[in-house]
Amino acid sequence: MKSDAIKQGLAKAPHRSLLRALGLTDDEIYRPMVAIVNSANEIVPGHQHLDRIAEAVKAGVRLAGGTPLEFCTIGICDGLAMNHKGMRYSLASREVVADSAELVLEAHAFDGAVFIPNCDKVVPGMLMAAGRVDIPSIFCSGGPMAAGRYAGRDVDLISVFEAVGKAKVGEMDEDEVEALAEVACPGCGSCAGLFTANSMNCLTEAIGLGLPGNGTIPAVDAARIRLAKEVGKCIVKLIEDDIKPSDIVTDASLRNALAVDMAIGGSSNTILHLPAIANDFGLKLDLSLVDEISAKTPNLCRLSPAGKDHLEDLQAAGGIMAVIKELDKKGLIEREAATVIAPIGEVIDRSVNRNEEVIRPGDRPYQETGGLAILRGDLAPDGAIVKQAAVCDEMLVHSGPARVFDSEEDAAEAIMGGKAQDGDVIVVRYEGPRGGPGMREMLTLTSVLAGMGMDGKVALITDGRFSGGTRGAAIGHVSPEAVAGGPIAFIEDGDIIDIDIPGRKLDIQVDAMTLLERQSGWKPKEPTITTGYLARYAQNVSSAAEGAIVGSGRGKDHVCACK
């Protein structure tokens, strides 16, 4: 066992002394040592209950004959970090999660690890760590929050963000907004819709490192505790069989995860995270693969914000395995891809689609192509991304004049001040990974527009990113970003921007000579943060088109190809 490095032989007597200081018996010391990598804290609603999940995992580990030892990583709540300086730190925290988990796991020679994430950047950060350390590993998320109820309908956090826009146009008063805010988030768990956290927890199932239900069993359901105990038992078997994450996360499992992402209409942020995860597994996932899989994968689910359903509805309908089974009927799943318990084909054979309105059959999809689309053109030579499943039909193809802002704050002031006009294409630049720095998520902009009823009349384009809770023609990750001299840096007010989501195009009606003239003497906007962690992050982070990766990882040569 790997942990023999800290417990076997004469030279390790001091190590055994320290382990005994923890209160461990000799029986416990010589069993497989399992790290419980927990992201519990008291500021993130999705994480406040993870201590209970961890205790259940530990119980399962002990039942199977292992010794669990817990440590924690950081976690940031995107909702609380939204629309102020704090959001600059959210994406950047992914690297700290990965680094801190890697450091502790390697320093203490654990035999295996159970990762307990829940919210946005913690899930991919832990997946990245699993790829780097490559010891037997399994994931057990804290589960999604239940939807709230207001005025006879299901609501969630995005409902409150959008209510701000409704208040701006007089559709709600402040007392009504506050009444909604009191019930929209009824308890612990990752926010109820198919936002980034739940998207990534669902994809952890599809990629093979989570048990069925990891992404969909509600946080407050007793089944979540039972799942955690099964996870604890499973990790000990993975250690005994020496099954590592690199045996599970392969080209095939990444393609399966992308197919599921398109079928459920996951967050656009998944296309930042999956390439970064692949990188730490020695693989490379290109945007071209994303678009190839999107083009042939039907969109089967419409969960909030794209529709009325929530994660609890998806769980009741059969969960992610039922989605995969529908995709398999169309030959879109690689059945031999491994999971922590069996090949994915064997796992889905036990699944049933219990509600064909929540999980549409493959021959009756919401749309024939996937929920996400990669756009390219004059404005985004290296690509941009849009959650097309949440775009109004009238905005799938649109041309309109640019309204250009060099920060989220300036754009928010204009929108909240009622200055956005029907047909506008609002451009928010210098918000990319380097230029932000931190590639802020702009949920306030999209939600206020939706609340004002303008999500079918106005488009948003940015080199930053949008929340998984976004709906409307919100096109993010425009690459190259403005600070790197991408074309988005040279747009001017009034330029006509052409958006063609079905045609996968994002162009600007400005001739090449004019763009060259605008570049003459150009200097990027001065950085907003020049000290501390974010300054180091900005100096080292890659383009959004590459996953906003910090460091080279292992995945520069092997490219994950489409079949």
Side-chain angles (χ1 to χ4, degrees), residues 48-316:
Q48 64 172 337
H49 65 303
L50 295 188
D51 53 347
R52 293 188 61 223
I53 302 297
E55 289 305 315
V57 169
K58 291 177 193 177
V61 170
R62 294 187 183 106
L63 283 170
T67 298
L69 296 165
E70 181 181 355
F71 69 89
C72 286
T73 69
I74 65 164
I76 287 176
C77 175
D78 276 20
L80 292 174
M82 196 69 63
N83 71 31
H84 62 94
K85 180 182 177 182
M87 180 46 72
R88 299 192 188 282
Y89 292 85
S90 174
L91 179 60
S93 74
R94 184 186 72 183
E95 316 310 311
V96 177
V97 172
D99 291 348
S100 61
E102 175 192 359
L103 288 167
V104 178
L105 290 170
E106 293 285 30
H108 298 112
F110 281 101
D111 297 305
V114 176
F115 292 91
I116 305 178
N118 218 26
C119 291
D120 294 37
K121 311 310 169 294
V122 182
V123 190
M126 288 185 173
L127 284 164
M128 291 161 66
R132 295 177 192 176
V133 179
D134 204 29
I135 58 175
S137 300
I138 187 171
F139 280 66
C140 184
S141 83
M145 185 185 292
R149 292 287 292 176
Y150 179 78
R153 61 186 176 92
D154 287 345
V155 294
D156 53 44
L157 179 65
I158 305 307
S159 307
V160 187
F161 272 98
E162 293 186 359
V164 174
K166 291 181 179 180
K168 286 291 181 181
V169 294
E171 289 187 19
M172 295 180 73
D173 61 36
E174 290 192 24
D175 288 343
E176 289 174 314
V177 173
E178 197 59 31
L180 171 61
E182 288 180 358
V183 299
C185 298
C188 63
S190 46
C191 296
L194 191 62
F195 317 139
T196 304
N198 290 327
S199 296
M200 289 306 305
N201 282 326
C202 288
L203 295 188
T204 301
E205 287 187 52
I207 216 168
L209 288 176
L211 292 179
N214 177 69
T216 54
I217 296 173
V220 296
D221 198 315
R224 175 63 56 181
I225 300 298
R226 296 196 297 272
L227 180 76
K229 291 177 181 177
E230 291 300 325
V231 164
K233 292 161 62 177
C234 187
I235 187 60
V236 176
K237 187 172 192 313
L238 290 171
I239 293 169
E240 291 171 350
D241 295 341
D242 194 29
I243 297 174
K244 300 180 176 67
S246 60
D247 299 318
I248 294 170
V249 180
T250 62
D251 286 353
S253 63
L254 284 170
R255 288 192 290 266
N256 284 346
L258 279 173
V260 171
D261 201 8
M262 300 306 155
I264 63 177
S267 165
S268 57
N269 286 310
T270 60
I271 309 305
L272 276 177
H273 301 320
L274 287 174
I277 294 162
N279 183 68
D280 278 315
F281 277 90
L283 306 170
K284 188 170 183 179
L285 192 158
D286 285 334
L287 291 184
S288 58
L289 176 65
V290 177
D291 219 28
E292 287 176 42
I293 290 179
S294 178
K296 65 181 183 180
T297 305
N299 178 223
L300 305 181
C301 301
R302 287 287 167 93
L303 279 71
S304 174
K308 62 180 178 59
D309 297 323
H310 290 82
L311 269 291
E312 60 205 73
D313 301 306
L314 180 58
Q315 168 64 17

Side-chain angles (χ1 to χ4, degrees), residues 377-384 402-406 425-432 442 460-466 475-493 495 497 506-508 515 518-519 522:
D378 304 338
L379 193 48
D382 293 344
R403 293 284 306 282
V404 184
F405 302 93
D406 284 349
V425 178
I426 297 170
V427 177
V428 188
R429 62 191 177 194
Y430 292 103
E431 292 287 2
M442 301 183 201
L460 276 168
I461 294 177
T462 185
D463 54 5
R465 62 193 179 92
F466 293 113
I475 300 166
H477 308 194
V478 171
S479 301
E481 62 176 296
V483 78
I488 193 172
F490 308 109
I491 300 172
E492 295 183 357
D493 281 344
D495 290 346
I497 294 175
L506 184 61
D507 289 314
I508 179 172
L515 284 177
R518 291 178 184 177
Q519 293 175 34
W522 170 82

Side-chain angles (χ1 to χ4, degrees), residues 343-402:
I344 192 76
E346 294 181 19
V347 179
I348 62 174
D349 283 345
R350 309 166 200 162
S351 299
V352 176
N353 183 353
R354 299 186 183 91
N355 188 332
E356 293 189 352
E357 291 308 309
V358 175
I359 305 172
R360 290 271 184 97
D363 59 1
R364 192 170 57 85
Y366 281 101
Q367 61 187 38
E368 296 292 339
T369 56
L372 301 174
I374 305 298
L375 311 183
R376 297 182 191 270
D378 304 338
L379 193 48
D382 293 344
I385 188 161
V386 62
K387 189 172 183 176
Q388 65 174 344
V391 179
C392 302
D393 288 345
E394 55 268 35
M395 291 299 293
L396 290 171
V397 178
H398 176 74
S399 293

